Amino acid sequence: MHGDGAAMSFNASGWLYVFQIGVVQALQEHAELGHVTALHGTSAGAAAAAAAALEFPAHMVAEEFCQQEIAARRDFAEMVPLMKAGIER
């Protein structure tokens, strides 16, 4: 618990990020998140936490991630610029 509400934390998951965003989607669809007062994340987990905090549709995040996966796998250093471009889109 964090204060009067719950806290959630997402770890640095790398390629398992799509799993974490699936968890966010399930929470968005099946749980009331109004009692969550703190969201934390590291690396890819920070993007999952941000999607949850901003109530951004998780399925859209997952689609963007999957579309960019092949390019990011060719050069891991491209992951951050690809993610930034996806967020801006």
Side-chain angles (χ1 to χ4, degrees), residues 2 6-11 36-42 45-50:
H2 187 268
M8 289 194 304
S9 179
F10 297 91
N11 68 333
V36 177
T37 57
L39 285 155
H40 308 279
T42 302

Side-chain angles (χ1 to χ4, degrees), residues 4-55:
D4 291 337
M8 289 194 304
S9 179
F10 297 91
N11 68 333
S13 56
W15 298 115
L16 292 177
Y17 170 69
V18 76
F19 170 79
Q20 288 187 346
I21 206 64
V23 170
V24 171
Q25 181 173 355
L27 290 169
Q28 288 174 337
E29 292 175 359
H30 303 290
E32 172 55 47
L33 299 178
H35 66 286
V36 177
T37 57
L39 285 155
H40 308 279
T42 302
S43 191
L54 297 171
E55 299 178 10

Side-chain angles (χ1 to χ4, degrees), residues 32-76:
E32 172 55 47
L33 299 178
H35 66 286
V36 177
T37 57
L39 285 155
H40 308 279
T42 302
S43 191
L54 297 171
E55 299 178 10
F56 193 83
H59 71 277
M60 292 176 66
V61 176
E63 287 173 15
E64 182 68 31
F65 180 80
C66 289
Q67 289 176 3
Q68 303 302 329
E69 178 185 11
I70 293 171
R73 282 189 184 267
R74 278 189 296 239
D75 182 0
F76 189 73

